Amino acid sequence: SFPTRRCSDLAAADVARGQQHLFLGHAGLGKSALRALVDGEARDRGFVVARARAHGTRVPLRYDLVRQAIRSACLELASVSSDAATTTGSSWHAALASLALSEPDRTRIAALVDDVDAGPDDDIPLARRRILLRGAIISFFGAVADRRGVCVLVDDVHKGEPSSLEVSAEVGARLHA
């Protein structure tokens, strides 16, 4: 059997210290139950819980998991349920505006989440734009962590696309440093 409660306690304690965990196992092992326990522990500690789910589509959107996590974190900061988000689409923008981010980083994050190609870096070569976007993503999660702490939970991460996985590892390393 899977010692879900003990693993949850250990993971929740590590979340408070900025640690990253990857729960792997066969279907039915209890990973979702463990994720739900960690979610509850993080909320009880006052953390913003950002959620994302990898769908394993044939042509994944670049930074799809990051988009989902950012939007989820902003909605939680704005205390808006994901159902209300469909009717109040600008609520997550208000939460984004409340974070201590530079205006270019805020614009990069908004363009990423809104899936808009236009942004503050249109005249910059693609490689440099990607570097600036990664910096904006790191700054975003840093600003959320500074405000309330942040716990990012991703379901089916093994199906995630490389750009999200790479920047997620970088965010974790930077925030833990």
Side-chain angles (χ1 to χ4, degrees):
S1 78
F2 194 63
T4 302
R5 187 69 225 175
R6 176 149 165 67
C7 287
S8 159
D9 292 341
L10 294 172
D14 282 348
V15 163
R17 292 192 306 269
Q19 297 292 315
Q20 295 182 10
H21 289 277
L22 180 61
F23 301 113
L24 300 172
H26 298 289
L29 190 60
K31 298 179 304 294
S32 293
L34 180 58
R35 186 208 40 82
L37 286 170
V38 171
D39 182 316
E41 292 288 330
R43 286 180 186 285
D44 289 348
R45 293 169 188 249
F47 284 46
V48 170
V49 178
R51 288 177 208 75
R53 175 180 293 278
H55 298 288
T57 58
R58 293 185 93 163
V59 183
L61 291 173
R62 189 166 189 76
Y63 297 110
D64 186 46
L65 296 175
V66 173
R67 290 171 209 252
Q68 292 177 51
I70 288 172
R71 188 173 185 94
S72 173
C74 285
L75 289 171
E76 187 162 322
L77 283 170
S79 299
V80 176
S81 73
S82 58
D83 293 334
T86 57
T87 58
T88 58
S90 65
S91 61
W92 80 267
H93 286 276
L96 179 61
S98 74
L99 293 172
L101 292 172
S102 70
E103 192 55 39
D105 281 353
R106 188 175 290 112
T107 304
R108 288 179 189 109
I109 294 295
L112 172 70
V113 176
D114 286 336
D115 197 20
V116 175
D117 284 334
D121 307 316
D122 288 341
D123 298 332
I124 298 174
L126 181 59
R128 179 73 179 139
R129 283 196 313 237
R130 287 184 179 156
I131 291 168
L132 292 170
L133 178 58
R134 289 170 92 97
I137 292 166
I138 292 166
S139 294
F140 170 83
F141 284 107
V144 174
D146 287 347
R147 176 165 306 165
R148 285 188 28 205
V150 63
C151 175
V152 180
L153 298 173
V154 179
D155 285 328
D156 298 326
V157 70
H158 61 283
K159 297 177 185 176
E161 38 75 41
S163 58
S164 285
L165 300 178
E166 291 167 9
V167 78
S168 296
E170 195 172 342
V171 166
R174 295 272 179 96
L175 294 182
H176 184 64

